[in-house]
Amino acid sequence: MNCYHLAFIGLPIFIAFSASVSHAQGLAGDISSLSLGNPLSAAGDLIGGAQLVAERGSSSASFRVTRVESISKQGEQAKFDTWSLEAYSPLSGSGNTTFASLDGLANSTNLEFGFTRFIARGKRSASHVVSKVQQLSAICKRVFEARLQQNGTPVPEGNLSCDSGDVASFGSNYDQHEFDSLYWDLGDANRFLYGVTGKIGYQEFEFITLDSEDEQTQSETPWSVGLWAGLQPGDRPILFFAGAEYQRSYSAGANTTICPASALPEATALVCKTGPFNSPKEETKKLAYIEIRARPAGVGASLKITQDLESNVTGLEIPFYVIANENKSLTGGIKAGWRSDTDDATFGVFVGAPFGLYK
Amino acid sequence: MEKVTVNLMIKAPETLRYWIAVDAEELNPIQGSATVLLTKGEEAILFWWMVGNSGDALNVVISENGREIDTVQASKVPPGKTKGHGFRRFTP
């Protein structure tokens, strides 16, 4: 049923946006064989990417497409906007699995819209950089001469072009600083980002009651809205986020066994039924969270602490990205979680979406 | 002086934010595609700025009427950094 829901939501996205996507293999049962992700966006296409997560008691799949716009105007801060649409579905689990994220929609099949604005302070204008092109060319010449000394590669003829990778590989510290400062105001390098999210889900509950011998079903549409902001101080591979979400979700009743009194007085055995008791309960969640993301050499990690202000429950999530794909993007790893109400620690694996400092 | 429309096609990972300009003109690509009007036969300079993970690479194909003029291949954010940049001269 869950796979059906994912297909139901995902198919229109595939068709409407013609997004490229890799395929997932072996979704049946536990996740064991995967081939996911689409790390490079092709110009004109929407960026597509899939992710699978498996942890104790549950697993899930999601697929995301994004649309990007790069905005840069003379005398204004450089911006980069991202619109995203993500389809998510739990693949297994009891339907009332509790998550370290405290996300009330994690047990539902859902569709999430997101908008992110990224602001890069300190980017110098094109008119400034073009006025310094002689200095840039002189740095390139010194870099290519150093490369000639190191590995024998000839210095290209004519007017030279190069990039920060060339300068970092073969340039002096002075040249690196000069090259960087012609493109960026190095004293004003903080980066900011903020965003909004909206999520709507579908969840079907089956439950038993005292009033009926038959199992009952009920469908609900949980929803969520949120906003967040982040700061990257300088040219350091670390980001700080804070955000809040308001959620209207539903939870199944506790698993219960009911043994109704038999209508037949001569009966010698009780006929019982087991399942979530009574109809799902509506819940309001007010989630506030802080998150730190870092990408030290070779790995990516984040720490997210979420507080449900309604129920006073705390959740902790720590994913580590350690598996890189052929493009050296970190696309898989392990995650640990904990929540205060159950005092339950969870561990899992995930693969698919590349780790980025930015949401 | 004949003017020609030059197309820029950018490929980048989702984790990379980038900005591009040709000469002093800032361009605003949508979904990695932008155009600029240039004088045929006159040298122009493509500039780019990027912010992302160390090792993230930007690729730019410069073309005119479907004819490839030049390509920037895998300009990467240097190791240990979160930003990168560069320039490329080309003649339409």
Side-chain angles (χ1 to χ4, degrees), chain A residues 39 51 294-301 320-333 350-356, chain B residues 15 53-54 56:
Chain A
Q51 173 151 297
R295 198 182 191 284
V299 297
F320 283 99
Y321 287 73
V322 292
I323 300 167
N325 65 10
E326 67 273 16
N327 297 308
K328 298 187 178 171
S329 290
L330 294 166
T331 53
F350 57 90
V351 65
F355 177 81
Chain B
T15 51
N53 296 327
S54 166
D56 281 353

Side-chain angles (χ1 to χ4, degrees), chain A residues 39-47 64 66-74 78-80 82 116 118 120 123-127 129-130 133 136-137 140 159-165 168 176 179-180 183-184 186 191 232 234-237 295 329 354-359, chain B residues 7-34 43-59 70 72-90:
Chain A
L40 280 183
S41 69
D45 289 347
L46 288 171
I47 305 163
R64 173 181 150 105
T66 57
R67 172 185 165 86
V68 300
E69 183 174 0
S70 164
I71 305 159
S72 182
K73 293 191 173 83
Q74 301 282 358
K79 298 167 190 155
F80 195 91
T82 306
T116 299
F118 179 92
K123 175 191 163 292
R124 295 201 188 278
S125 68
S127 56
V129 182
V130 78
V133 76
L136 291 169
S137 296
C140 295
N159 289 324
L160 298 175
S161 306
C162 64
D163 68 9
S164 51
Q176 287 182 44
F179 198 74
D180 288 353
Y183 282 86
W184 303 91
L186 301 181
R191 297 160 196 157
Q232 182 182 16
D235 191 24
R236 300 177 186 87
R295 198 182 191 284
S329 290
F355 177 81
L357 284 176
Y358 316 120
K359 293 190 180 189
Chain B
N7 189 246
L8 301 160
M9 302 280 275
I10 302 143
K11 281 188 178 183
E14 191 183 352
T15 51
L16 192 70
R17 276 75 175 117
Y18 57 81
W19 299 271
I20 61 168
V22 172
D23 296 331
E25 186 176 350
E26 310 265 8
L27 303 178
N28 296 326
I30 298 175
Q31 292 304 97
S33 181
E43 183 183 85
I45 307 175
L46 168 70
F47 297 97
W48 63 93
W49 298 253
M50 50 191 175
V51 173
N53 296 327
S54 166
D56 281 353
L58 186 81
N59 300 269
D70 205 345
V72 175
Q73 280 196 326
S75 177
K76 291 183 180 176
V77 175
K81 306 270 189 180
T82 62
K83 67 177 184 306
H85 33 271
F87 69 106
R88 172 68 62 91
R89 299 168 192 273
F90 67 96

Side-chain angles (χ1 to χ4, degrees), chain A:
Chain A
M1 193 57 147
N2 286 328
C3 287
Y4 168 76
H5 290 156
L6 182 65
F8 181 77
I9 286 179
L11 195 58
I13 299 173
F14 279 85
I15 295 169
F17 297 105
S18 301
S20 56
V21 63
S22 300
H23 60 280
Q25 297 173 331
L27 280 182
D30 287 334
I31 297 164
S32 57
S33 171
L34 304 166
S35 172
L36 292 168
N38 183 23
L40 280 183
S41 69
D45 289 347
L46 288 171
I47 305 163
Q51 173 151 297
L52 293 176
V53 177
E55 52 192 303
R56 194 183 71 190
S58 71
S59 60
S60 65
S62 59
F63 176 77
R64 173 181 150 105
V65 290
T66 57
R67 172 185 165 86
V68 300
E69 183 174 0
S70 164
I71 305 159
S72 182
K73 293 191 173 83
Q74 301 282 358
E76 290 186 18
Q77 290 166 338
K79 298 167 190 155
F80 195 91
D81 290 347
T82 306
W83 291 265
S84 65
L85 200 58
E86 180 169 351
Y88 165 95
S89 181
L91 297 174
S92 66
S94 64
N96 57 0
T97 307
T98 54
F99 293 86
S101 66
L102 309 187
D103 183 2
L105 277 75
N107 284 311
S108 73
T109 297
N110 60 64
L111 198 58
E112 180 174 10
F113 163 79
F115 169 77
T116 299
R117 168 155 286 180
F118 179 92
I119 300 170
R121 291 173 64 104
K123 175 191 163 292
R124 295 201 188 278
S125 68
S127 56
H128 172 87
V129 182
V130 78
S131 72
K132 307 291 183 187
V133 76
Q134 294 306 320
Q135 284 172 256
L136 291 169
S137 296
I139 294 169
C140 295
K141 187 161 188 279
R142 290 197 292 275
V143 164
F144 288 136
E145 285 171 349
R147 188 179 66 178
L148 172 66
Q149 296 294 319
Q150 285 187 37
N151 64 19
T153 305
V155 177
E157 293 181 2
N159 289 324
L160 298 175
S161 306
C162 64
D163 68 9
S164 51
D166 298 319
V167 181
S169 298
F170 301 103
S172 63
N173 288 339
Y174 173 80
D175 281 338
Q176 287 182 44
H177 183 268
E178 280 295 293
F179 198 74
D180 288 353
S181 62
L182 291 170
Y183 282 86
W184 303 91
D185 177 354
L186 301 181
D188 184 20
N190 290 340
R191 297 160 196 157
F192 300 94
L193 55 167
Y194 58 85
V196 293
T197 58
K199 193 156 49 171
I200 188 157
Y202 174 83
Q203 196 169 2
E204 199 168 86
F205 294 88
E206 294 176 343
F207 55 93
I208 56 173
T209 65
L210 289 173
D211 304 331
S212 171
E213 288 185 2
D214 298 325
E215 199 171 62
Q216 308 289 300
T217 60
Q218 186 172 321
S219 301
E220 298 292 353
T221 50
W223 56 268
S224 168
V225 290
L227 50 87
W228 56 269
L231 165 69
Q232 182 182 16
D235 191 24
R236 300 177 186 87
I238 187 166
L239 258 114
F240 301 93
F241 293 99
E245 275 187 54
Y246 182 89
Q247 299 190 328
R248 185 63 53 85
S249 61
Y250 298 85
S251 65
N255 259 351
T256 305
T257 298
I258 297 173
C259 303
S262 174
L264 304 171
E266 67 274 15
T268 56
L270 288 172
V271 177
C272 300
K273 52 187 179 183
T274 299
F277 185 60
N278 273 348
S279 57
K281 191 174 72 175
E282 184 179 291
E283 293 178 332
T284 297
K285 285 174 176 278
K286 295 175 182 170
L287 305 179
Y289 64 87
I290 54 171
E291 182 178 1
I292 302 170
R293 289 192 196 197
R295 198 182 191 284
V299 297
S302 74
L303 166 67
K304 185 177 181 182
I305 302 170
T306 306
Q307 179 78 15
D308 185 342
L309 303 175
E310 284 284 303
S311 61
N312 205 26
V313 175
T314 305
L316 184 69
E317 291 176 286
I318 311 174
F320 283 99
Y321 287 73
V322 292
I323 300 167
N325 65 10
E326 67 273 16
N327 297 308
K328 298 187 178 171
S329 290
L330 294 166
T331 53
I334 54 175
K335 65 184 291 188
W338 173 83
R339 52 185 289 157
S340 63
D341 56 345
T342 57
D343 198 22
D344 227 9
T346 56
F347 299 93
V349 296
F350 57 90
V351 65
F355 177 81
L357 284 176
Y358 316 120
K359 293 190 180 189

